[in-house]
Amino acid sequence: MEYNIVNYAEENMDTFAQRAFCPVDSLILSWLSYLRIPGDAPEFRDWEGLPLSSLYRAEWFDKLFLGVWDPESSRRLLTALAASPRFRNLRVMGYTEQMDPEAEKQFSAVTFRLTEELSYVAFRGTDASFVGWKEDFNMAFQTVPSQETAVAYLARAALYCPGRLMTGGHSKGGNLAVYAAACCDEAVQGRILRIYSHDGPGFLAEMLTSPGFQAIADRVEKTLPQSSVVGMLLEDQESFQLVKSGRVSFWQHDPFSWQVEGDRFCPADHLTADAHYLDKTLNDWVRGLAQEERERFVDALYGILNVNEVTTFAQWQDQWQKNLSDTMKAASQMDPDTRKFLGHTLKELAALSVKHFPELWAKEEKEKKEP
């Protein structure tokens, strides 16, 4: 059996005063940010908060686990955390959730008080909403609303949490954590011990060369599964560490698939051939588009997918035949210039895919021969 974050939570009993915080703890707290805390629990929204064990209420389960990765493993993990002396007394505070389709914004964050002098600010990754994914795509050409909101949230958490800070997240949440730490004021920045990005997308080049990022670069700990797709997106990357996953390709984004050994992730030696292939293909394609072309492409694609007032992928799948038909109809009704542009841009992606395929084949053959 592969040992993952659930097994770690079930078996590790030391408190944070007894054993130091580690990256596996960070992934667990990042996962907790995906929980949808019901509105009838305002104590989690203020800055006094409640113990983590207070989240474990059967009547909340349907709401808590709505849209999370692997609901069954999620419930098992929450059970372990609520019972564990390492996690059960953490104060959960400052929970916020914001959805604004007009601003193309999906944001959520929560803060955990680990000890009197140490707190962890966790940012939620992309959920199953079209708005959330649209905001992710917008990162290819601009700063997005959630990034700015993350800066404000981190500053607010710093007001209420004395001592040192850590911040992190999974997927888009990792990107938000790095962005917030790089763009907050110097006083807050000086209190940050570590920034964790678990398979979070990268940044445009100007971000990684900014003074704010340079000030915190040595405190960023980015972890990627060996076949990472999401974490390798966008033009440039922070330095990163590779971890083993029990799944393949995009499904390695699932945090429950990451393998754990003791209190650390099992390291992987190199990115797989398919990850290199996708990274080079997608990023070369993005680099080949001007900023205006990126924005136009994302808006056009979102426009034909966003049909019948469907707001989530689950809703789209429930009536996929009708929605697919209406999506094709919406594509056919686009103005000729936009339709031509969309088709031409997708052809360029296909051409790059074919161009890079020999590199994929050669790398796979090399990996087969390696011991």
Side-chain angles (χ1 to χ4, degrees):
M1 181 187 73
E2 293 172 348
Y3 192 92
N4 66 4
I5 55 175
V6 178
N7 307 111
Y8 172 87
E10 289 174 336
E11 297 179 15
N12 283 273
M13 301 294 135
D14 292 340
T15 67
F16 289 107
Q18 295 169 321
R19 182 169 56 81
F21 191 88
C22 69
V24 182
D25 296 317
S26 173
L27 183 58
I28 287 174
L29 298 185
S30 297
W31 167 85
L32 281 170
S33 71
Y34 283 102
L35 297 186
R36 300 180 182 277
I37 299 178
D40 60 354
E43 297 90 347
F44 292 110
R45 288 168 167 76
D46 65 34
W47 291 93
E48 288 297 321
L50 289 173
L52 188 152
S53 57
S54 302
L55 285 171
Y56 194 72
R57 304 184 191 181
E59 66 272 23
W60 285 359
F61 283 179
D62 288 345
K63 173 73 172 177
L64 282 174
F65 303 124
L66 183 64
V68 302
W69 291 89
D70 191 346
E72 183 177 342
S73 293
S74 295
R75 183 177 300 190
R76 182 180 161 196
L77 179 56
L78 182 60
T79 301
L81 298 176
S84 168
R86 186 167 180 80
F87 293 97
R88 66 189 177 210
N89 293 319
L90 300 189
R91 302 293 290 188
V92 183
M93 60 185 70
Y95 175 77
T96 184
E97 185 174 21
Q98 303 172 26
M99 179 71 75
D100 187 341
E102 288 190 10
E104 296 176 348
K105 172 184 177 182
Q106 170 255 315
F107 176 84
S108 183
V110 64
T111 298
F112 302 95
R113 178 78 59 81
L114 279 64
T115 69
E116 287 301 314
E117 292 299 319
L118 181 63
S119 299
Y120 185 98
V121 179
F123 295 100
R124 180 185 293 173
T126 308
D127 62 14
S129 68
F130 282 168
V131 170
W133 284 98
K134 175 62 161 59
E135 188 176 38
D136 279 7
F137 293 143
N138 288 348
M139 288 180 178
F141 57 84
Q142 66 180 20
T143 298
V144 299
S146 285
Q147 289 173 324
E148 299 294 350
T149 304
V151 177
Y153 182 88
L154 181 59
R156 187 165 177 79
L159 287 175
Y160 288 96
C161 299
R164 306 306 294 272
L165 301 168
M166 294 185 292
T167 183
H170 169 261
S171 191
K172 182 179 75 175
N175 178 285
L176 298 183
V178 175
Y179 186 92
C183 297
C184 64
D185 65 47
E186 291 184 7
V188 175
Q189 207 172 65
R191 293 169 55 194
I192 298 174
L193 282 175
R194 208 79 183 145
I195 304 111
Y196 294 92
S197 177
H198 301 294
D199 209 22
F203 292 93
L204 299 176
E206 52 265 32
M207 172 60 180
L208 296 188
T209 57
S210 69
F213 179 80
Q214 293 300 313
I216 54 97
D218 63 347
R219 286 173 274 171
V220 175
E221 187 162 329
K222 183 165 184 173
T223 47
L224 304 176
Q226 73 267 32
S227 289
S228 173
V229 176
V230 176
M232 294 297 290
L233 291 176
L234 298 187
E235 292 183 356
D236 290 275
Q237 291 294 319
E238 313 97 311
S239 59
F240 54 83
Q241 301 171 8
L242 295 173
V243 303
K244 290 182 179 179
S245 167
R247 304 189 74 178
V248 297
S249 192
F250 176 80
W251 303 111
Q252 291 192 359
H253 194 53
D254 177 0
F256 292 102
S257 76
W258 293 18
Q259 297 177 18
V260 175
E261 183 177 333
D263 60 357
R264 66 187 184 94
F265 297 115
C266 295
D269 294 331
H270 51 70
L271 282 170
T272 59
D274 60 325
H276 273 292
Y277 173 67
L278 282 170
D279 175 42
K280 188 166 182 58
T281 299
L282 290 173
N283 288 334
D284 281 0
W285 179 59
V286 170
R287 289 187 190 100
L289 298 174
Q291 180 173 322
E292 296 78 11
E293 291 177 317
R294 300 178 196 181
E295 182 173 5
R296 185 181 181 189
F297 176 80
V298 169
D299 286 345
L301 192 61
Y302 182 70
I304 61 175
L305 288 173
N306 191 21
V307 297
N308 301 327
E309 298 184 352
V310 171
T311 59
T312 68
F313 288 99
Q315 291 173 346
W316 202 96
Q317 188 175 6
D318 285 344
Q319 299 186 44
W320 70 268
Q321 290 176 310
K322 176 177 177 6
N323 289 323
L324 179 60
S325 174
D326 289 345
T327 294
M328 298 300 291
K329 183 178 178 181
S332 68
Q333 292 177 346
M334 297 173 72
D335 68 86
D337 185 54
T338 301
R339 188 165 64 247
K340 181 180 178 180
F341 166 76
L342 194 62
H344 175 72
T345 306
L346 289 171
K347 284 180 181 178
E348 288 184 339
L349 176 60
L352 278 171
S353 177
V354 172
K355 175 185 175 183
H356 294 318
F357 185 78
E359 298 175 28
L360 170 66
W361 182 83
K363 188 167 180 60
E364 285 183 336
E365 290 299 306
K366 180 181 178 181
E367 288 178 359
K368 288 178 184 177
K369 295 177 183 178
E370 290 177 350

